[in-house]
Amino acid sequence: MAKLRLKSKRELELMRNSCRLAAEILERSAELVKPGITTDEINTFVHDYTVRNGAYPSPLNYHGYPKSVCTSVNDCVTHGIPGPFIIKEGDIINIDVTCQLEGYHGDCSATYPVGIIAPSAQNLIDVARQCLAVGIAACAVPKARLSDIGLAIEDLADEHGYSVVRDYCGHGIGRQFHEDLLVLHYRQNRPGPLLEEGMIFTIEPMINEGGWKVKTLNDGWTVLTADGKLSAQFEHTIALTSNGPEILTKT
Ligand code: MF3
Ligand code: CO
Ligand code: CO
């Protein structure tokens, strides 16, 4: 991980551009989500759209990752690899888009229903979205600490009887895909560092219907819930400015 360095105004401008593009790619790729398509089709769309806009799909070849986007279906928590796999009515799918534009990365994800889904699955999606929202809101409190993010997120997940994945966290982002700043999405015993203007990082809670434990498949990437229950995730890249947290990954 690259060392934590606060970003300048100029870098914030560049991050706004890469993040806006990432959000646009995500929004457009979500329009493909319907029963009968393959995750490879999403990958092809994301790859081509990214390249056509003068950017590079950050996941491709990142530590050997083979594709341009992550597509995580149902009990897949994160890092699902697109393939000939067909999504079907009732599934939920997280699409995680990261692009590098003019040297800076933007990273965001969202979870979508495939056709009509069970109310319990929709509730998990709704709460996961709210978990990201309360994590961002925690950054708006004066003198907030990094650890306040996980506190707010786990409190909300608990209220709904869900659990928060502990093995993966948010991260600083900029010239590197993953930079210093570990954004834990769960409660910690010690207060973290104070949040400061110029920090840019992701918040990306993975919320499980069952327990928080996960397992990784032999492909070295695909992360599943250990109990086979559903997992949902939302991610934004956030900049801390003098006006509070700014969501960079929006269209
Ligand atoms: N986009 C993921 C994140 O939010 C990381 C994916 S790494 C990859 O941090 F190699 F799988 F693409
Ligand atoms: Co991320
Ligand atoms: Co991501």
Side-chain angles (χ1 to χ4, degrees), residues 3 32 70 90 97 137 149-150 194 205 234 241:
K3 181 134 185 51
L32 300 180
C70 298
V97 170
I149 297 171
L194 283 169
F234 287 81
T241 74

Side-chain angles (χ1 to χ4, degrees), residues 5-85:
R5 199 177 40 76
L6 298 175
K7 265 87 176 173
S8 66
K9 288 265 147 53
R10 169 76 189 139
E11 288 183 293
L12 175 58
E13 278 307 319
L14 291 163
M15 285 297 292
R16 282 192 180 111
N17 295 339
S18 61
C19 288
R20 192 184 310 110
L21 178 59
E24 183 183 322
I25 298 164
L26 176 62
E27 196 174 282
R28 296 294 307 276
S29 68
E31 293 167 13
L32 300 180
V33 173
K34 36 179 126 35
I37 68 145
T38 66
T39 48
D40 252 342
E41 290 173 60
I42 298 173
N43 182 71
T44 300
F45 176 84
V46 167
H47 183 91
D48 294 349
Y49 198 96
T50 305
V51 171
R52 259 191 281 124
N53 281 277
Y56 180 83
S58 315
L60 187 59
N61 298 321
Y62 183 73
H63 295 281
Y65 185 78
K67 296 281 182 164
S68 298
V69 66
C70 298
T71 50
S72 303
V73 179
N74 294 341
D75 60 330
C76 183
V77 172
T78 191
H79 301 165
I81 303 173
F85 179 83

Side-chain angles (χ1 to χ4, degrees), residues 70 78 96-98 106-109 171 177-178 202 204 233 235:
C70 298
T78 191
D96 192 334
V97 170
T98 316
D107 188 11
C108 55
S109 86
H171 49 92
F177 190 165
H178 295 103
T202 72
E204 49 181 299
Q233 178 182 24
E235 172 176 30

Side-chain angles (χ1 to χ4, degrees), residues 222-239:
T222 314
V223 178
L224 305 178
T225 58
D227 58 16
K229 295 189 178 174
L230 295 180
S231 184
Q233 178 182 24
F234 287 81
E235 172 176 30
H236 272 308
T237 300
I238 307 295

Side-chain angles (χ1 to χ4, degrees), residues 180-202:
D180 251 13
L181 260 191
L182 218 49
V183 183
L184 304 184
H185 303 118
Y186 52 89
R187 282 186 294 268
Q188 293 145 258
N189 295 325
R190 316 162 166 280
L194 283 169
L195 294 178
E196 280 185 73
E197 187 180 338
M199 287 177 171
I200 300 188
F201 53 82
T202 72

